[in-house]
Amino acid sequence: MQGIDWAAAEAELDAAGVARLGPLLTPEECGALAALYDEPGRFRSRVVMARHGYGRGEYQYFAHPLPDRVAALRGALYARLAPVANRWAERMGLPVRYPAGHGEFLARCHAAGQARPTPLLLRYGPGDFNCLHQDLYGEHVFPLQVVLLLSRPEDFTGGEFVLTEQRPRQQSRVEVVPLGQGEAAAFAVAQRPVRGSRGDHRVTMRHGVSRLRSGQRHTLGIIFHDAR
Ligand SMILES: O=C(O)CCC(=O)C(=O)O
Ligand SMILES: [Fe+2]
């Protein structure tokens, strides 16, 4: 994570609700993580998206213990994003504040019955897509999350990561976020503040993946709250 320009990332998060963080995993690490998809023992549950109307394709939530690299990234990214989360909460007039360390935040989730780990691997083939959604898993929500592309961009066509922003009494805005292999993007889970002429207001964000036209695409999702 040494290479990340956090000042630039924070400015982008404030301006657009999404920021690319640059490559955080090597191609070897990406390949090793994507290969875990075929080791069912690593996961607590598998979701076939079409069965729930979530899209097409599938994903799996890691079981404990999380792979070392995933656990380390989750803790380190949380620590850098917590100050942004606190600023956003303050600007949105929300009473919630986030502790500096991820362990303390997880303890809060666990005390409220949100104890199942949420980092996940997603796998898409031709025709697969992920409908616009918000990754909310209970009362406790950390307002930012991270996605990492494990595949090489040349391994697939289509399959763009997209975000929508629904603004009060206005038409929605959409953003497509191109990623390189191992590259991460941080983005708003559900709500974020936007500065307007009369102070801050809240906008609603959703994210998803457009239909894959060819190839295969793997991603790693890092969500900081655990699930009920
Ligand atoms: O596959 C993607 O790019 C999006 C995955 C996703 O929805 C997530 O990480 O929460
Ligand atoms: Fe998601």
Side-chain angles (χ1 to χ4, degrees), residues 125-142:
D128 291 353
F129 60 96
N130 194 341
C131 293
L132 291 171
H133 65 278
Q134 298 174 324
D135 290 297
L136 304 172
Y137 297 96
E139 163 201 358
H140 293 283
V141 177
F142 188 75

Side-chain angles (χ1 to χ4, degrees), residues 28 32 35 41 60 91 104 108 115 135 151 171 184 202 210 214:
E28 293 69 34
Q60 299 187 91
R91 287 178 56 194
E104 201 180 324
R108 185 188 291 180
D135 290 297
S151 305
Q171 291 173 325
R202 266 184 232 185
S210 71
S214 66

Side-chain angles (χ1 to χ4, degrees), residues 120 122 124 130 133 135 145-147 161 187 207-209 217 219-223:
L120 73 164
L122 304 97
Y124 306 82
N130 194 341
H133 65 278
D135 290 297
Q145 67 184 84
V146 173
V147 65
F161 179 70
F187 56 96
H207 63 275
V209 177
R217 178 181 183 276
T219 48
L220 166 67
I222 299 184
I223 294 158

Side-chain angles (χ1 to χ4, degrees), residues 66 74-75 77 83 92 128 163 190-191:
L66 300 176
R74 199 180 188 211
L77 288 165
M92 290 191 287
D128 291 353
L163 290 147
Q191 311 279 331

Side-chain angles (χ1 to χ4, degrees), residues 148-161:
L148 292 99
L149 180 65
L150 301 178
S151 305
R152 299 177 310 161
E154 55 270 36
D155 290 340
F156 60 92
T157 62
E160 287 104 348
F161 179 70

